[in-house]
């Protein structure tokens, strides 16, 4: 009986010694946990930023495209306001924090869309400053650039929706309300906050 008890105790000690993580494994696990917590917070912050940015970006993209389709160039005050807004929106993405790859991809896509929309607005400014003969072509180019911005944003918004679901926040739709955009991805139809 005593031999069985000693063997059981010895087996328990050996099993504990072999099964517990060594200090390196424990440190790696702690780092991974800290990264996951930091990324979860970054996802929340990026989603809030995307909502705010989208609310300001969508009217510019929509207005620019409508002007181009109607064959008109907006006035100088409108273009100046758009350029000022685009500078502010771009500045929000100027110094991004380092996050997990999926979050960095979403942030990079949103930033790329904002940068592309800024180029579209700059093209409108060129159309306005240039001779009337070339304005239609420049407005057409600006509309194409705005459409690419909306399409790029849609991909990043889809990525952001997925990482929100993966992080347990549920669906978060930040797609731009700019009308139909060929090649753009739309929200998946799930209710906000569900699926997390």
């Amino acid at each position: 009986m005593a031999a069985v008890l000693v063997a059981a105790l010895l087996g328990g000690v050996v099993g504990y010694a072999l099964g517990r993580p060594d200090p390196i494994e424990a440190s790696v696990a702690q780092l991974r946990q800290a990264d996951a917590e930091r990324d979860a917070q970054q996802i929340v912050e990026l989603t809030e930023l995307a909502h705010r940015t989208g609310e300001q970006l969508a009217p510019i993209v929509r207005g620019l495209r409508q002007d181009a389709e109607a064959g008109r160039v907006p006035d100088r005050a409108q273009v100046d306001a758009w350029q000022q807004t685009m500078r502010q929106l771009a500045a929000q993405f100027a110094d991004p924090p380092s996050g997990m790859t999926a979050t960095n991809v979403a942030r990079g896509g949103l930033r790329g869309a904002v940068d592309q929309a800024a180029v579209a607005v700059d093209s409108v400014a060129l159309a306005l400053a240039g001779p009337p003969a070339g304005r239609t072509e420049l407005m057409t180019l600006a509309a194409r650039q705005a459409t690419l911005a909306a399409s790029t944003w849609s991909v990043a918004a889809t990525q952001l929706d997925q990482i929100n679901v993966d992080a347990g926040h549920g669906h978060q739709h930040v797609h731009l309300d700019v009308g139909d955009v060929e090649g753009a991805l739309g929200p998946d139809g799930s209710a906000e906050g569900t699926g997390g």
Side-chain angles (χ1 to χ4, degrees):
M1 177 78 164
V4 171
L5 186 58
V6 168
L9 287 173
L10 184 59
V13 169
V14 169
Y16 173 76
L18 292 176
R20 72 180 170 151
D22 66 24
I24 293 173
E25 289 173 341
S27 293
V28 168
Q30 287 175 341
L31 288 172
R32 285 186 179 147
Q33 179 64 28
D35 284 347
E37 290 171 3
R38 184 186 76 230
D39 194 58
Q41 182 59 37
Q42 284 187 14
I43 292 168
V44 169
E45 292 167 359
L46 182 58
T47 303
E48 291 169 356
L49 175 61
H51 277 295
R52 288 192 313 270
T53 302
E55 288 170 3
Q56 293 180 279
L57 182 61
I60 294 172
V61 170
R62 188 171 50 247
L64 190 158
R65 293 175 69 214
Q66 289 170 349
D67 284 342
E69 288 170 12
R72 64 180 177 260
V73 179
D75 63 31
R76 172 55 59 193
Q78 181 65 75
V79 174
D80 288 346
W82 285 351
Q83 285 183 311
Q84 181 180 0
T85 299
M86 293 312 305
R87 283 191 294 273
Q88 292 168 350
L89 295 180
Q92 298 178 110
F93 292 93
D95 188 22
S98 178
M100 304 294 268
T101 300
T103 305
N104 290 343
V105 167
R107 186 184 309 277
L110 295 172
R111 179 182 181 167
V114 167
D115 289 345
Q116 183 66 47
V119 171
V121 171
D122 288 344
S123 294
V124 174
L126 286 174
L128 187 61
R135 288 182 179 170
T136 301
E137 290 79 12
L138 282 171
M139 284 301 297
T140 300
L141 178 62
R144 287 178 50 207
Q145 292 165 331
T147 298
L148 287 171
S151 181
T152 300
W153 182 279
S154 78
V155 174
T158 301
Q159 171 74 3
L160 186 57
D161 184 34
Q162 183 60 53
I163 63 176
N164 268 288
V165 170
D166 293 345
H169 305 304
H171 288 278
Q172 300 294 319
H173 302 128
V174 297
H175 294 76
L176 296 179
D177 180 17
V178 294
D180 291 334
V181 175
E182 186 177 349
L185 303 174
D188 59 16
S190 301
E192 289 283 306
T194 63

